[in-house]
């Protein structure tokens, strides 16, 4: 297995109670079976509380259920009582690994951080060339092992080059990348590549993208309200150049995190559609809300965070 790490990966360190948007709130915490077995042996008041709080969720998975929007072990100092009481090594897999994500394709395992963590997002936004180590050179040989994977690795590299073409405004780069990947999709489908036909588009404006997002599971009421407020005037809002600069990094993150899912799904356009939707929704929200500087948590569906 070839392990690929971006340069920023090992710089990450959770900032715990200095985090402006903790991962210890708003969702149930998954407890894997190995961790649960250990928790059944913990003595004292902490062990008793752990066993009291272990529950089944609606999928019959073991969890600590969120209470008043907080993990029951996230204390008033915004620190974890389990970490303090029995050590970091006894956090569940979910707590111990977040925001680290590992994705496997054939004999390649790529490691990345999730943009849902603000400290990880800061690292990725600051990095000059965050995904340089994901280059095709390191993955030589994939083509021989797996024809589709080799093809998609090259297409991903080409897509990244398009997103980084600073001779064009970002929206144009995104359009070029979408067009290119429509051709990639045709090849995957065994069809003759042909130009995208925008004349057939049934929708105009981006209101339908906001309507789509309103139907997603959104954990933060502030995000839900912000989405509704921006949706009302979305077509009149212009995405700023400053947002484009930040979004370039987010689009690359998306590309490196999701593009190769097409190895299994056969759907390369899914990743591109998500980037376009995230660009429209967060870019318009940024235009609407940045001047008012209200705190908004990361979007639950696309993990993007409007600038504060
Ligand atoms: S969101 Fe990131 S920085 Fe914040 S508490 Fe979680 S892992 Fe730590």
């Amino acid at each position: 297995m070839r392990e690929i790490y971006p340069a920023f990966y090992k710089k990450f360190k959770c900032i715990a109670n200095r985090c402006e948007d903790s991962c210890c709130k708003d969702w149930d915490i998954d407890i894997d079976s190995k961790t649960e077995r250990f928790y059944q042996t913990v003595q004292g008041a902490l062990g008793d509380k752990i066993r009291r709080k272990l529950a089944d969720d609606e999928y019959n998975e073991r969890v600590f259920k969120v209470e008043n929007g907080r993990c029951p072990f996230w204390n008033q100092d915004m620190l974890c009582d389990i970490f303090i009481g029995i050590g970091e090594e006894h956090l569940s897999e979910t707590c111990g690994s977040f925001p680290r994500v590992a994705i496997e394709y054939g004999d390649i395992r790529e490691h990345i951080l999730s943009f849902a963590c603000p400290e990880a997002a800061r690292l990725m936004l600051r990095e000059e060339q965050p995904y340089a180590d994901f280059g095709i050179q390191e993955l030589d040989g994939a083509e021989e092992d797996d024809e589709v994977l080799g093809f998609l690795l090259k297409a991903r590299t080409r897509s990244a080059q398009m997103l980084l073409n600073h001779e064009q405004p970002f929206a144009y780069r995104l359009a070029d990348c979408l067009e290119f990947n429509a051709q990639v999709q045709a090849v995957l489908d065994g069809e003759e590549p042909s130009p995208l036909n925008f004349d057939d588009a049934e929708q105009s404006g981006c209101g339908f993208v906001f309507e789509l997002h309103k139907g997603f599971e959104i954990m933060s009421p502030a995000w839900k309200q912000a989405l509704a407020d921006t949706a009302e005037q979305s077509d009149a809002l212009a995405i700023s150049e400053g947002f484009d600069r930040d979004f370039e990094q987010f689009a690359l993150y998306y590309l490196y995190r999701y593009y190769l899912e097409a190895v299994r799904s056969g759907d390369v356009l899914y990743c591109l559609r998500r980037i376009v939707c995230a660009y429209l929704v967060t870019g318009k929200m940024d235009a609407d809300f940045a001047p008012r500087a209200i705190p908004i948590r990361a979007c639950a569906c696309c993990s993007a965070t409007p600038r504060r």
Side-chain angles (χ1 to χ4, degrees):
M1 182 70 72
R2 281 176 286 176
E3 308 279 350
I4 315 289
Y5 290 89
F8 57 81
Y9 186 90
K10 289 183 179 158
K11 295 184 199 163
F12 174 75
K13 193 159 175 35
C14 170
I15 54 173
N17 59 352
R18 287 181 291 121
C19 178
E20 68 271 52
D21 188 9
S22 173
C23 51
C24 305
K25 61 184 188 185
D26 289 340
W27 48 37
D28 296 344
I29 307 292
D30 289 343
I31 307 297
D32 55 282
S33 50
K34 182 171 170 234
T35 304
E36 181 177 0
R37 277 199 299 282
F38 179 79
Y39 285 172
Q40 296 296 353
T41 70
V42 177
Q43 304 296 306
L46 179 62
D48 292 342
K49 182 174 175 184
I50 285 174
R51 286 181 286 281
R52 246 189 356 264
K53 298 297 178 185
L54 275 166
D56 290 333
D57 69 3
E58 64 268 41
Y59 308 106
N60 282 328
E61 301 288 347
R62 300 294 274 166
V63 295
F64 291 142
K65 280 199 177 285
V66 69
E67 294 176 4
N68 300 319
R70 302 173 65 92
C71 169
F73 295 93
W74 194 39
N75 68 29
Q76 292 311 311
D77 297 325
M78 297 198 295
L79 294 170
C80 172
D81 281 336
I82 293 181
F83 185 111
I84 295 166
I86 53 178
E88 184 177 8
E89 66 276 24
H90 294 305
L91 294 177
S92 69
E93 275 176 22
T94 300
C95 296
S97 60
F98 183 84
R100 300 168 191 87
V101 179
I103 317 152
E104 287 179 23
Y105 314 100
D107 70 342
I108 295 166
R109 188 184 289 131
E110 292 186 336
H111 297 263
I112 198 165
L113 300 176
S114 168
F115 241 85
C117 162
E119 182 65 3
R122 267 188 290 274
L123 267 178
M124 289 186 270
L125 287 170
R126 282 185 200 133
E127 199 78 15
E128 281 285 313
Q129 292 185 310
Y131 307 101
D133 296 337
F134 283 42
I136 194 82
Q137 298 87 339
E138 285 82 359
L139 304 177
D140 273 351
E143 202 171 2
E144 292 154 29
D145 301 343
D146 183 329
E147 204 178 320
V148 174
L149 178 59
F151 172 66
L152 287 173
L153 281 166
K154 285 181 180 159
R156 184 177 70 171
T157 300
R158 182 77 192 105
S159 299
Q161 287 165 348
M162 287 179 161
L163 293 174
L164 288 169
N165 174 12
H166 293 133
E167 287 173 9
Q168 298 212 72
F170 188 79
Y172 286 64
R173 295 181 234 162
L174 200 48
D176 284 351
C177 195
L178 191 61
E179 172 85 42
F180 168 70
N181 278 286
Q183 318 297 321
V184 172
Q185 187 65 54
V187 173
L188 286 178
D189 294 342
E191 294 169 359
E192 192 63 33
S194 59
L196 275 181
N197 185 358
F198 291 103
D199 295 341
D200 290 344
E202 288 173 14
Q203 312 272 7
S204 64
C206 61
F208 74 99
V209 178
F210 278 86
E211 286 310 311
L212 189 72
H213 273 65
K214 282 193 217 165
F216 292 166
E217 183 187 2
I218 297 175
M219 292 181 296
S220 154
W223 244 98
K224 205 166 192 167
Q225 187 58 50
L227 190 67
D229 291 348
T230 307
E232 279 179 21
Q233 45 177 336
S234 60
D235 288 337
L237 291 164
I239 297 174
S240 73
E241 283 179 24
F243 180 82
D244 278 0
R245 275 193 298 278
D246 286 349
F247 193 84
E248 176 182 296
Q249 295 288 56
F250 181 70
L252 285 178
Y253 159 79
Y254 236 91
L255 196 71
Y256 283 99
R257 177 147 183 202
Y258 295 111
Y259 191 87
L260 292 183
E261 284 184 358
V263 171
R264 285 180 277 270
S265 68
D267 184 356
V268 82
L269 285 175
Y270 179 69
C271 171
L272 268 294
R273 286 196 194 98
R274 287 182 71 170
I275 295 174
V276 172
C277 287
Y279 178 65
L280 289 172
V281 169
T282 54
K284 301 274 181 177
M285 288 176 90
D286 175 77
D288 194 17
F289 283 87
R292 290 183 251 160
I294 68 156
I296 305 174
R297 292 191 63 207
C299 171
C301 54
C302 62
S303 302
T305 312
R307 288 179 307 147
R308 299 172 187 201

